[in-house]
Amino acid sequence: MDPATGKLTPQARRGVFVVWFVIFLDLLGFGIILPSLAYYVGIFHVPGWATEFAAGFGVTDPQAVFVGLIQTVFSLCQFVFAPLWGRLSDRVGRKPVLMASMAGFALAWLMFAFAPSLIFLLLARALAGVFAANLSTAQAYMADVFPPERRAKGMGLIGMAFGMGFVLGPAIGAVLVSGPVLGLFFEPGTPGYARGHLLVPALFAAALSLAALGLAALKLSESLPVEARANPRQRKGQVAELLEALRKPAIGPMLVVYFVATAGFANLEAMFSQFNKDHLGLPQSTNMWVFTCIGVTIALVQGGLIGRLTKALGSPRLLLLGQLGLALAMIWFGFQMEWSLGINATLLVILVSVLIGAFSAVSNPSLLTIISTHASRSTQGGTMGFTASSATLGRIVGPLMGGVIYAKWGPQWPFVAGAALIFLGTLVVLARWRQVASVPNSVSEH
């Protein structure tokens, strides 16, 4: 900060913009790829050993399991390695870790683009999870630059980059796999044209990561001075910290709710493209446009409506509304062919997806607000770390569970199972309503 003006120095402003743009490019690449995972898995043959293993559990077509597993391995590696990258950034600075994560992402996307088999797709996403240090390191960069009273603005900028990447990524992905674009590189009807649906978006994502790497190398200034670096204090592991947080009166139940809600929603995220591809017959580009509609809905609700709704209803009531609406919308999504109500099939999938995005955009901020309200100021950061850990655990469990349910019991049931988990979280909120709805007289007591 400039002591004379009380504002960020020009160098700090440039660093904030570079970090914002790096995160935006990274999430843009992820948004391009995520809606098409089921289509990518469909390009490859499932290994014979995997088919035989799945058959032992009554699963005849394990493709959906691989779709869930691809997302699970990313979250699992992220959960294991994110704290290590965080500690490393405390020792060597933020810039080297951000650059390493960008280089790792570029390598992972290249590996993904040229993967010869499903196993290599899994390894590519695992490698991406190992290098998924950019978001937490970017948050640390903002904490270095902004004073405590303005830190929320820095974190909001990261959230803005995150949201814009998810809104624009699927739309750009839809253009990249359109006939005119693929026709520039491949002859329609050839094996290369089919493979281009994976190759072109993945190479574009790799190029984005390389662009972010170059930008960070040339323009990003270090935010953590050498004299402020030290070996981090010995801390408990994430799982131990999470278990300790579960014992806190209001926060513990809300972390349980966040875990089951994230796991339930991850069922939908993992099987969304698989369902649209197999059950609804949507082409890859149309599926990406549906994802874009969800992203726009979330951005509109969180950007304009959530404040007014919270003021009118309060976070606890809004959380109940969001979770109940999300559970019902997920069930309708799974049975939309049976409960079409005479609506055009394409319009229906967009309508139900928009409802899912809207209720999700209401539910998550309300839950985070409740957790933050019941945390003391001195433990705010650690509490939000516990919250992130519980969400990551949900993203580890949910996709694999969704894939197994889809393959074994049918395309509708991952969404029913996800809705059941979200409804279970709603019951926890109701059971602890007195603690959840109360406003602490002194946050230091919590």
Side-chain angles (χ1 to χ4, degrees):
M1 302 292 293
D2 187 338
T5 63
K7 298 180 179 179
L8 294 180
T9 64
Q11 183 183 32
R13 285 199 300 270
R14 183 173 65 249
V16 167
F17 171 77
V18 172
V19 169
W20 181 90
F21 201 63
V22 164
I23 296 300
F24 169 69
L25 291 179
D26 176 42
L27 268 298
L28 190 66
F30 187 66
I32 289 171
I33 297 298
L34 178 64
S36 297
L37 288 180
Y39 299 85
Y40 298 153
V41 170
I43 294 174
F44 301 98
H45 294 291
V46 176
W49 60 265
T51 302
E52 293 177 5
F53 180 78
F57 295 90
V59 175
T60 56
D61 185 4
Q63 276 199 357
V65 179
F66 271 92
V67 175
L69 191 59
I70 283 174
Q71 298 192 55
T72 291
V73 296
F74 175 87
S75 296
L76 178 61
C77 290
Q78 183 184 34
F79 181 76
V80 172
F81 283 90
L84 303 180
W85 284 114
R87 292 181 175 97
L88 182 62
S89 75
D90 289 336
R91 294 175 181 173
V92 304
R94 316 303 185 199
K95 181 175 179 177
V97 172
L98 278 171
M99 291 179 60
S101 70
M102 291 297 99
F105 266 129
L107 178 61
W109 285 131
L110 289 173
M111 186 175 175
F112 195 87
F114 295 103
S117 66
L118 280 178
I119 300 303
F120 273 81
L121 282 183
L122 285 172
L123 292 176
R125 291 309 293 156
L127 183 64
V130 169
F131 284 99
N134 51 352
L135 185 58
S136 58
T137 307
Q139 291 171 337
Y141 190 100
M142 295 300 186
D144 293 339
V145 172
F146 285 93
E149 64 274 12
R150 297 184 61 189
R151 197 162 293 161
K153 180 179 179 180
M155 300 305 172
L157 290 173
I158 295 296
M160 178 183 174
F162 196 97
M164 288 182 64
F166 262 89
V167 170
L168 297 177
I172 293 174
V175 174
L176 292 175
V177 298
S178 63
V181 172
L182 290 180
L184 296 175
F185 307 101
F186 307 98
E187 184 68 27
T190 63
Y193 186 86
R195 180 61 188 249
H197 286 77
L198 164 62
L199 192 64
V200 173
L203 287 179
F204 190 84
L208 290 176
S209 293
L210 288 174
L213 173 62
L215 182 64
L218 295 175
K219 299 295 184 179
L220 183 63
S221 56
E222 178 57 59
S223 64
L224 188 66
V226 175
E227 61 272 14
R229 302 174 197 173
N231 290 331
R233 293 176 294 177
Q234 293 295 321
R235 295 181 295 185
K236 299 177 182 178
Q238 278 184 297
V239 174
E241 290 181 336
L242 182 59
L243 292 176
E244 183 176 325
L246 291 175
R247 294 193 289 268
K248 298 185 178 181
I251 295 175
M254 290 300 96
L255 291 180
V256 173
V257 172
Y258 202 36
F259 166 71
V260 296
T262 303
F265 193 77
N267 273 269
L268 180 139
E269 284 183 324
M271 293 298 104
F272 190 89
S273 60
Q274 188 78 34
F275 182 90
N276 290 348
K277 169 180 170 286
D278 293 344
H279 198 57
L280 302 183
L282 295 184
Q284 184 178 352
S285 58
T286 303
N287 185 63
M288 287 183 164
W289 285 117
V290 174
F291 260 84
T292 301
C293 291
I294 295 176
V296 170
T297 301
I298 293 175
L300 290 175
V301 172
Q302 292 189 347
L305 292 178
I306 190 68
R308 297 176 184 178
L309 291 173
T310 302
K311 186 176 180 179
L313 299 175
S315 293
R317 291 186 181 88
L318 201 55
L319 173 60
L320 288 179
L321 174 65
Q323 288 200 311
L324 287 173
L326 180 57
L328 292 174
M330 287 176 64
I331 294 174
W332 190 12
F333 186 88
F335 290 93
Q336 60 187 279
M337 294 184 71
E338 292 82 358
W339 304 338
S340 63
L341 305 179
I343 304 174
N344 174 272
T346 302
L347 291 178
L348 181 60
V349 68
I350 293 175
L351 170 62
V352 183
S353 298
V354 165
L355 288 176
I356 288 172
F359 285 118
S360 173
V362 164
S363 178
N364 281 348
S366 300
L367 182 55
L368 293 174
T369 298
I370 293 169
I371 294 173
S372 178
T373 299
H374 285 270
S376 66
R377 184 174 182 179
S378 61
T379 62
Q380 190 73 237
T383 300
M384 300 316 291
F386 305 150
T387 307
S389 295
S390 66
T392 303
L393 287 173
R395 285 191 292 270
I396 292 171
V397 173
L400 184 58
M401 181 174 68
V404 171
I405 293 173
Y406 187 105
K408 189 171 178 62
W409 286 288
Q412 297 93 344
W413 295 106
F415 308 103
V416 175
L421 285 173
I422 292 171
F423 185 69
L424 176 63
T426 304
L427 294 179
V428 173
V429 175
L430 290 173
R432 302 303 295 269
W433 182 256
R434 181 175 297 178
Q435 293 90 345
V436 170
S438 66
V439 177
N441 293 324
S442 173
V443 294
S444 63
E445 297 174 5
H446 301 273

